Amino acid sequence: MTENMPGTQETESSADTSQLDADDRLKPAFVRAVLDAIDSGDAEGARALVEPLHPADIADLFELAPADQRAALATAITELLDGDVLAEMNDYVREELIDALDPRQVADIAAELDTDDAVAIIEDMDAADQREVLRALDPDDRAAIEEALSFPEESAGRLMQRELIAVPEHWTVGNVLDYLRGNEELTTDFWEVFVVDPAHRPIGACHLSWIMRTPRSVAVGDVMQREQTLIPVDMDQEEVALRFQKYALISAAVVDASGRLVGMITVDDIVHIISQEAGEDILRLSGAGDGDINEPVLDSYRARVRWLISNLFTALLASSIIALFEGTIAKMVALATLMPIVAGVGGNAGTQTMAVTVRALATNQLTRSNTWRSIMRELRVAVLNGGTIAIVIGIGVSVVFGNPHLGAVIAAAMLTNIVIAGLAGVMVPVALERMGADPAVASSIFVTMTTDSMGFLAFLGLATWSGLVG
């Protein structure tokens, strides 16, 4: 597979910046001009407008265009719709276009890309279309993509590039330079040269800067760095990203179960993964599914409604606690006015702690070795927050309702619920993670249930027990 030389796309994107605003977004007037040209049958005019754009901006153009006009846009600028554009495109929009293209066209586009980008295009296709595309590829490209598709989704095997530079340890720096200059089919995007033993297992790596500044007669084994971070081919992409972040990697070798070098992962792929994983965690906390504005309506509905139904059942649990204290509420209507405050503030406190905990788990900051310390830290924060809010709400209710007893009850209930919320916010995600569940997916339901139920129980229970209501 081949790829444009570095600098080509940057030159194209700098040819004309009038289409972009100050935030590097396509101007609405430009998008309208392209779509108007297509509507009027002026494909050549539309192509002339789009041609100066960077592939990422062309991908944005497709995402900004209405769904029913994307096929016409693709037809008008077919020559510009290459692999680099599809690789930058939103997943849902790309799937729509891929479905509209002939398998031969998809194969031609995939052949232009590195293996990881080609896999991203092909992996979501229907099985029948996928087979047709693979049959249309050259044997070498087909074998590389089929191997990548055999690995689990979101694993290093799917993410890695097969195009890399590997040399034997006995070579000199001069041999490496001659090899790089004498083979036009080698990949053009790499930052280090991997050194392998006769069994093709990586034993070290050399940065390009070292090779360029070392005399030709020096052996590669004398300048390479033997300590390196190796990525197992089945490692989850989120863990791969954490390793890149922890060890400040630019690229890393990927090895199979036998330790053989099978690919490499570069930091440009990791930047995308970090953004994707962070977004997924936020959306999972809210139960919003993929949270993509291009996602089909029915898919969004199915993703969201199950969480709303789950929340409905947890709300019923909270309402059943309220029902236990109907007599108490009937004697003092002010309790009904104030109890949502206790539950609401407790819910916010729990959400804060839960967000911090889920992030700490995702970034490996929270592990088994410091779990108890983290729980105690969040407990201290919850006590401080609860004490502050309790004083404020207690004084406020005493003044507004002219009832210091009521103020003391709501203050005690607020302190109790915020402390419980803090504990739930850290313990629920940790417990889910220990059980092998994704804490970002289910934590919010359990934390909300806890803060609502305990908020009502603490407030109404204290009101009854303290004799506030005669």
Side-chain angles (χ1 to χ4, degrees):
M1 297 188 181
T2 61
E3 191 170 45
N4 292 335
M5 290 293 290
T8 302
Q9 295 175 356
E10 286 76 2
T11 302
E12 291 175 355
S13 66
S14 62
D16 185 356
T17 58
S18 63
Q19 306 95 332
L20 306 176
D21 61 19
D23 296 318
D24 287 333
R25 297 173 298 194
L26 291 175
K27 295 178 180 177
F30 173 77
V31 176
R32 284 196 300 271
V34 174
L35 297 179
D36 289 345
I38 293 172
D39 289 340
S40 63
D42 184 11
E44 186 175 343
R47 190 160 49 251
L49 288 170
V50 176
E51 189 169 9
L53 294 178
H54 185 280
D57 293 319
I58 298 177
D60 287 343
L61 176 62
F62 275 94
E63 294 169 21
L64 293 171
D68 57 356
Q69 290 186 277
R70 289 170 183 160
L73 175 60
T75 302
I77 63 167
T78 300
E79 297 85 351
L80 305 177
L81 189 58
D82 58 15
D84 292 324
V85 174
L86 288 177
E88 297 284 350
M89 198 173 290
N90 173 274
D91 291 346
Y92 291 104
V93 177
R94 181 172 60 209
E95 287 175 22
E96 288 180 9
L97 287 180
I98 292 298
D99 290 341
L101 293 175
D102 181 83
R104 178 73 253 182
Q105 291 176 284
V106 179
D108 291 341
I109 291 172
E112 300 175 7
L113 298 171
D114 285 335
T115 308
D116 57 328
D117 291 328
V119 169
I121 290 175
I122 296 174
E123 64 182 350
D124 293 326
M125 299 179 68
D126 294 336
D129 293 336
Q130 197 176 91
R131 286 193 295 271
E132 287 190 49
V133 172
L134 291 172
R135 278 198 296 267
L137 285 168
D138 292 336
D140 290 344
D141 293 341
R142 179 170 63 250
I145 292 176
E146 286 178 339
E147 181 186 13
L149 292 172
S150 69
F151 296 115
E153 290 189 25
E154 299 189 348
S155 67
R158 290 284 184 100
L159 186 63
M160 69 182 181
Q161 302 175 24
R162 271 70 178 170
E163 300 79 10
L164 52 80
I165 308 297
V167 300
E169 183 179 12
H170 67 266
W171 274 18
T172 65
V173 170
N175 294 142
V176 176
L177 290 173
D178 293 340
Y179 173 68
L180 294 176
R181 293 169 181 169
N183 292 269
E184 295 182 357
E185 295 183 359
L186 294 176
T187 182
T188 57
D189 290 336
F190 62 97
W191 291 268
E192 59 185 348
V193 172
F194 298 105
V195 184
V196 295
D197 64 13
H200 207 66
R201 292 188 293 263
I203 57 176
C206 290
H207 295 310
L208 284 179
S209 58
W210 301 350
I211 294 174
M212 297 300 293
R213 300 177 64 182
T214 302
R216 293 177 58 90
S217 60
V218 176
V220 171
D222 292 336
V223 296
M224 72 179 183
Q225 178 180 344
R226 294 187 179 272
E227 296 77 19
Q228 58 180 324
T229 301
L230 301 179
I231 306 295
V233 73
D234 57 353
M235 178 178 284
D236 183 84
Q237 65 180 20
E238 190 169 2
E239 183 63 30
V240 175
L242 290 174
R243 289 202 179 183
F244 267 72
Q245 181 182 18
K246 181 176 181 179
Y247 299 112
L249 302 177
I250 300 298
S251 63
V254 181
V255 295
D256 62 14
S258 63
R260 295 180 67 255
L261 177 65
V262 293
M264 73 170 179
I265 295 176
T266 54
V267 71
D268 58 321
D269 296 313
I270 296 303
V271 170
H272 172 72
I273 295 303
I274 291 173
S275 174
Q276 175 185 324
E277 294 289 346
E280 284 181 357
D281 285 346
I282 293 297
L283 292 166
R284 285 170 179 171
L285 283 173
S286 64
D290 287 346
D292 195 306
I293 61 174
N294 294 293
E295 185 180 16
V297 171
L298 287 179
D299 289 349
S300 295
Y301 160 74
R302 284 190 289 268
R304 300 181 192 183
V305 72
R306 62 174 181 264
W307 297 111
L308 294 176
I309 292 174
S310 299
N311 285 331
L312 175 61
F313 284 111
T314 59
L316 290 174
L317 175 61
S319 67
S320 66
I321 292 177
I322 296 174
L324 296 175
F325 297 94
E326 284 183 353
T328 301
I329 297 173
K331 295 177 181 178
M332 181 176 283
V333 179
L335 296 176
T337 305
L338 295 173
M339 64 185 184
I341 299 176
V342 179
V345 175
N348 287 335
T351 299
Q352 290 176 340
T353 307
M354 178 182 63
V356 171
T357 304
V358 168
R359 179 186 180 277
L361 289 169
T363 58
N364 284 343
Q365 290 180 319
L366 178 53
T367 64
R368 291 182 183 273
S369 62
N370 65 348
T371 298
W372 181 247
R373 187 168 68 250
S374 298
I375 292 174
M376 294 306 297
R377 175 189 178 277
E378 292 301 328
L379 178 60
R380 289 194 294 270
V381 172
V383 170
L384 291 173
N385 285 336
T388 302
I389 301 301
I391 292 172
V392 172
I393 191 67
I395 294 174
V397 168
S398 298
V399 172
V400 171
F401 289 88
N403 190 338
H405 192 174
L406 178 59
V409 167
I410 195 171
M414 187 68 78
L415 174 60
T416 301
N417 199 30
I418 290 179
V419 170
I420 291 173
L423 289 173
V426 66
M427 295 182 71
V428 168
V430 168
L432 290 171
E433 195 267 343
R434 298 288 189 267
M435 292 187 292
D438 188 343
V441 175
S443 295
S444 59
I445 293 177
F446 293 107
V447 172
T448 300
M449 176 186 68
T450 301
T451 56
D452 285 353
S453 301
M454 295 308 299
F456 294 140
L457 181 62
F459 184 46
L460 297 177
L462 285 171
T464 303
W465 174 79
S466 67
L468 174 64
V469 179

